[in-house]
Amino acid sequence: MATLEQAASLSQAPERPHMSHFRQAMLSLYWFGTQAHWSAILLITLPQQAFLIGGDAVKGQTLGVVLLIGAFVSMIVAPLFGALSDHIKTPWGRRRPWIVVGTLMNVVGLLGLIYFPRPHDLGSLPLFIVAFMWVEFWNNVATAPFSALIPDIVPANQRGSAAGWYGLMSMLGNFAGGLSALLFTHNGVTNLTSIYYFIGAAMIFGMLGTVLFVHEPPVLRDPPPFRWGEFFRGLREPFRDHDFRWVF
């Protein structure tokens, strides 16, 4: 798998243009939507729906199964589509097509999370898991290429500033995701459907801000072809390190 520096070199002239604070904010606006999305799902909707489907007796087991499968999907999809975005060339850039498609398909998956679970019916759990896997899959299709935009676009002397905007948008997204429970809870009852529509809107808002206001530089030369063998070697290589294995 190409390193971030190698990937960035494909599309960058020696000097990247200076970025205004507005463009840096727009670059990280997608992360605001993503963080709002996951904080609301992991902290609010998913635990409540695990209780809704499995009841109090098995809610922990239900939640554990859903999260385990979702984590497995994320572990595979993120490095794969991050690598694929290094090896494509389109009129719209290498990263933005993945961000747009991944976000829209992610939002479609939220509808499954809304309508598939049925109260105290474990028979609805498989469809709910499929919907969660769909959301995990397409979210990683978008976020892995998005993560390469900062080294693609930001000049070296502004990476600290860009990382600051990235962190700020992350905190604001977490705040918005948590705020959704306050906004959509009335008389002790949380409206999960409204929360899902809220975070879907946040995802689209963040995606549009990033893809409309952040323009990828043209690719200066054709990227190397994607090679499965090289990809799998790149996945395997970190595990040769003892400390990495423990952290993993």
Side-chain angles (χ1 to χ4, degrees), residues 11-34:
S11 61
Q12 295 298 324
E15 294 296 331
R16 299 171 176 84
H18 181 85
M19 295 185 69
S20 66
H21 284 294
F22 174 77
R23 285 192 65 216
Q24 291 181 56
M26 291 299 101
L27 173 60
S28 292
L29 189 62
Y30 180 72
W31 202 240
F32 163 83
T34 298

Side-chain angles (χ1 to χ4, degrees), residues 118 156 239:
R118 295 188 298 270
F239 289 95

